[in-house]
Amino acid sequence: MVDGELLFEEGFRSNGEVNLQWAKLRRLRATGGSFGSSTTYALHADALRAEAGVYLTRKSPATATVRLVGANITGELCCTEGVFDNPSGRALDAERIIVEDVYLDRGFQAYGDVRCNDAVVARQFNASTAEFRNERRGEDQYALECDGLRCGGDVFLNDGFRATGTVSLRGADIKTELNC
């Protein structure tokens, strides 16, 4: 438990998994640090509870899976300008998250698949001016998979959104606008 912010700022470097499963904190901020791992996960934060958002932004690179499965985030999951690099697997796994807003936008880059299946987003899911790249073949060729997404507002896949691989919104429920 952290009553305030957990910071991974400029100059932070990990060379192994950072494990925050079941952590409770006010805000997670990684704006300039880097997460590297030769194992499965760079950041493993399943069931994380954040009261004021999660920020993995400003070219903060991750060189293995960033996993936030089942996280409950009051505020936003902001990965603006983030670089998630795991071309042989999942770059970002945010299945079943509950969050107010998702920003995978303005220069966000993912190499490997991004999964937000069964996510509940209260207001908006924004992937404008982002690049999702998954060059694997066959069934694992999802660039962005948001099957079962429930969004109370808008979904933006526009203004320079690029995907190499499949984009899937199968069974998604979007209350206002899907903008491609």
Side-chain angles (χ1 to χ4, degrees):
M1 293 179 107
V2 178
D3 287 337
E5 292 185 300
L6 179 54
L7 304 172
F8 299 102
E9 295 292 301
E10 196 72 38
F12 171 82
R13 305 279 181 265
S14 71
N15 291 314
E17 178 180 315
V18 174
N19 190 324
L20 297 174
Q21 292 183 81
W22 296 98
K24 292 182 182 181
L25 44 91
R26 177 148 177 73
R27 181 179 296 122
L28 172 61
R29 185 183 306 269
T31 54
S34 68
F35 296 88
S37 179
S38 59
T39 63
T40 305
Y41 304 117
L43 176 61
H44 193 178
D46 288 1
L48 172 83
R49 300 292 180 257
E51 296 174 4
V54 172
Y55 299 86
L56 306 171
T57 63
R58 285 197 232 143
K59 304 276 184 214
S60 295
T63 57
T65 300
V66 172
R67 185 176 160 106
L68 300 166
V69 172
N72 190 328
I73 302 167
T74 302
E76 58 193 30
L77 169 60
C78 182
C79 300
T80 298
E81 294 183 343
V83 178
F84 294 71
D85 189 8
N86 190 18
S88 63
R90 289 187 184 159
L92 174 61
D93 190 349
E95 293 184 301
R96 298 185 312 278
I97 65 168
I98 299 170
V99 63
E100 291 176 12
D101 299 293
V102 174
Y103 296 100
L104 308 177
D105 65 341
R106 293 183 296 166
F108 172 84
Q109 298 172 24
Y111 304 99
D113 58 347
V114 172
R115 295 218 176 150
C116 297
N117 294 339
D118 300 313
V120 177
V121 180
R123 292 187 295 242
Q124 74 171 296
F125 185 102
N126 189 337
S128 299
T129 63
E131 179 179 5
F132 296 79
R133 181 178 295 275
N134 184 353
E135 296 181 354
R136 292 191 318 257
R137 302 279 181 221
E139 292 180 26
D140 291 331
Q141 196 188 7
Y142 287 99
L144 176 60
E145 185 178 8
C146 295
D147 294 350
L149 169 72
R150 289 181 286 161
C151 185
D154 303 313
V155 174
F156 297 103
L157 308 177
N158 62 346
D159 290 335
F161 170 88
R162 293 181 299 167
T164 302
T166 302
V167 174
S168 179
L169 294 162
R170 191 172 319 135
D173 181 6
I174 301 166
K175 292 299 180 202
T176 54
E177 180 177 303
L178 172 59
N179 188 331
C180 300

